Amino acid sequence: MTYKILICDLIGLKFGGDGEPDASEVAGHIAAKGGVFHRGDQAGQKLQDGKLHFFYVPELSTAAEILPLTDAGQYDAVIAAATFIPAASVFPLGGVRIGAGTGNMGSLSWGGPNGQGGAAPLMNTPGFNSVATAQMAFKALLRVRPDLPVDELHRLSVSGEFDTGKDLARHPTAKLEGQVMAILGFGNIGGQMAKLASAFGMKVQVHAREGHRAAIEAAGYAYAATPVAATRGADVLSVHVGLGGGANVGFVNGAVLGALNPGAVLLNYDRGECVDAAALDAALASGQVSHAAVDADIFKAADGTLTGPLVPYLPLAKKYGRQVHLLPHAAADTDHPSRVAGAKQAVDQIFESILNKRVINLKGDLPSGYVDGGAKLGV
């Protein structure tokens, strides 16, 4: 039996001698496990019987590009990171998302992004990019808080137009210490964000499932039973709840934003859909939110059409200028070692799932004929 696995995202984020992103570490890992690595899709490739063949096509992005290669089960399984896998893509033996959330894994082979009801297993590789994501989210906060206009002060200093004794009083600022950060969600990234906020002397209020309460309070943070309770009186809101199979679309609504202190900062380095963009627009207009930073996927079709969860924020960036800072889901996906480690684990999980029917880091329901191999957290 020959198995074919599609890899439709970059598995190396540094460039090799040929000027292309270097996938050699993961290719070597596949070979060491007895698999075969191919650059390009399966067309014209020679297959060895009894092997797992991995076809690396990272340039795939849109449904129009992916569906012709996947709509009839041409590949047994898929490994993806940010690329959205359409509902009509068929992978009878499963899929792995490099990273934590699986909102982009839309194939009905596993019944949608949480895996309910499908005949194939859906898996992820949580933990590898948690630290990188939290650091980038906190960097977005430090861009605007404390709110000292460093670029302007630099210009004035260099041009000889500033006198510290006379002019400094015109630029008051406030330190982060003593301010309140509200965190929604206490998974790997939410937990890292709480540690960073605490290190800066901020007070932390966390809303998460009741099962996380003991861990939250043991770490010295305040537990909030509802999102509004978490954001009440907060100066910063950081979102880390995931899509929850669609249940968390618009999770951050007008009521949640309205409980913040006036002039608060919103950080959404989770999923773009988790924040109601219309509610954010209203909060920016009223001054309830002074700055918002969002990191979410955006895709461009051949005709120039833009899609993805970052799109609803584009008008806000034009409307509010520097008050809205957007990234193309880059916070966790620019760290080469993390991506390589996550990709290697995804390969391991594919081998286990296909050859041994053992599912590691299962998302959603366990399909018939498989055994649950438990969780494996990347570090």
Side-chain angles (χ1 to χ4, degrees), residues 81-104:
T83 297
F84 185 83
I85 306 301
S89 291
V90 179
F91 300 101
L93 296 183
V96 183
R97 197 259 164 160
I98 303 173
T102 54
N104 64 309

Side-chain angles (χ1 to χ4, degrees), residues 110-172:
W110 38 79
N114 272 339
Q116 289 95 356
L122 175 61
M123 297 161 277
N124 66 351
T125 66
F128 286 107
N129 53 13
S130 301
V131 172
T133 303
Q135 288 178 351
M136 290 299 289
F138 212 88
K139 180 179 180 179
L141 173 60
L142 293 176
R143 178 175 172 268
V144 296
R145 292 288 185 276
D147 57 351
L148 194 69
V150 291
D151 290 341
E152 175 65 7
L153 294 182
H154 170 77
R155 185 190 67 78
L156 292 172
S157 299
V158 171
S159 63
E161 301 176 47
F162 199 90
D163 182 291
T164 300
K166 297 176 182 178
D167 299 328
L168 200 58
R170 297 204 302 266
H171 301 280

Side-chain angles (χ1 to χ4, degrees), residues 11-355:
I11 51 177
L13 297 174
K14 69 178 182 181
F15 291 92
D18 59 358
E20 296 294 324
D22 186 1
S24 61
E25 293 168 83
V26 180
H29 183 71
I30 290 170
K33 293 182 70 67
V36 183
F37 179 86
H38 304 268
R39 181 60 174 93
D41 64 37
Q42 62 178 302
Q45 302 276 13
K46 185 177 180 180
L47 305 184
Q48 301 177 43
D49 193 35
K51 297 283 189 177
L52 273 69
H53 289 261
F54 293 79
F55 299 89
Y56 184 47
V57 196
E59 56 270 17
L60 295 177
S61 177
T62 66
E65 295 166 342
I66 295 171
L67 281 174
L69 300 179
T70 63
D71 60 353
Q74 297 96 317
Y75 293 91
D76 298 293
V78 64
I79 294 174
T83 297
F84 185 83
I85 306 301
S89 291
V90 179
F91 300 101
L93 296 183
V96 183
R97 197 259 164 160
I98 303 173
T102 54
N104 64 309
M105 304 294 280
S107 169
L108 294 180
S109 296
W110 38 79
N114 272 339
Q116 289 95 356
L122 175 61
M123 297 161 277
N124 66 351
T125 66
F128 286 107
N129 53 13
S130 301
V131 172
T133 303
Q135 288 178 351
M136 290 299 289
F138 212 88
K139 180 179 180 179
L141 173 60
L142 293 176
R143 178 175 172 268
V144 296
R145 292 288 185 276
D147 57 351
L148 194 69
V150 291
D151 290 341
E152 175 65 7
L153 294 182
H154 170 77
R155 185 190 67 78
L156 292 172
S157 299
V158 171
S159 63
E161 301 176 47
F162 199 90
D163 182 291
T164 300
K166 297 176 182 178
D167 299 328
L168 200 58
R170 297 204 302 266
H171 301 280
T173 188
K175 59 188 177 182
L176 284 175
E177 184 180 0
Q179 294 194 25
V180 177
M181 177 179 285
I183 297 176
L184 304 182
F186 200 67
N188 297 318
I189 301 172
Q192 290 292 336
M193 199 67 184
K195 290 179 182 178
L196 290 173
S198 182
F200 274 79
M202 300 184 74
K203 300 175 183 178
V204 179
Q205 300 173 174
V206 184
H207 167 69
R209 293 188 297 271
E210 177 68 29
H212 291 288
R213 180 168 187 165
I216 290 167
E217 293 180 339
Y221 313 130
Y223 177 78
T226 68
V228 171
T231 57
R232 186 173 294 118
D235 305 288
V236 181
L237 167 58
S238 195
V239 184
H240 305 284
V241 294
L243 277 180
N248 290 337
V249 172
F251 189 86
V252 177
N253 54 26
V256 173
L257 294 174
L260 292 164
N261 281 338
V265 177
L266 168 69
L267 307 172
N268 181 14
Y269 276 47
D270 185 8
R271 299 290 165 183
E273 302 95 324
C274 292
V275 174
D276 182 334
L280 177 58
D281 187 1
L284 286 162
S286 70
Q288 186 70 19
V289 171
S290 64
H291 294 85
V294 182
D295 181 47
D297 292 319
I298 187 167
F299 304 103
K300 187 175 183 179
D303 64 0
T305 301
L306 297 176
T307 60
L310 194 65
V311 170
Y313 296 94
L314 299 181
L316 303 187
K318 293 178 181 178
K319 184 175 181 180
Y320 297 103
R322 289 178 59 83
Q323 289 179 260
V324 177
H325 193 237
L326 305 182
L327 288 179
H329 208 177
D333 289 332
T334 53
D335 182 56
H336 177 74
S338 294
R339 175 59 70 87
V340 169
K344 286 180 177 180
Q345 180 168 313
V347 167
D348 292 345
Q349 290 173 218
I350 287 290
F351 269 89
E352 278 294 302
S353 177
I354 289 179
L355 298 182

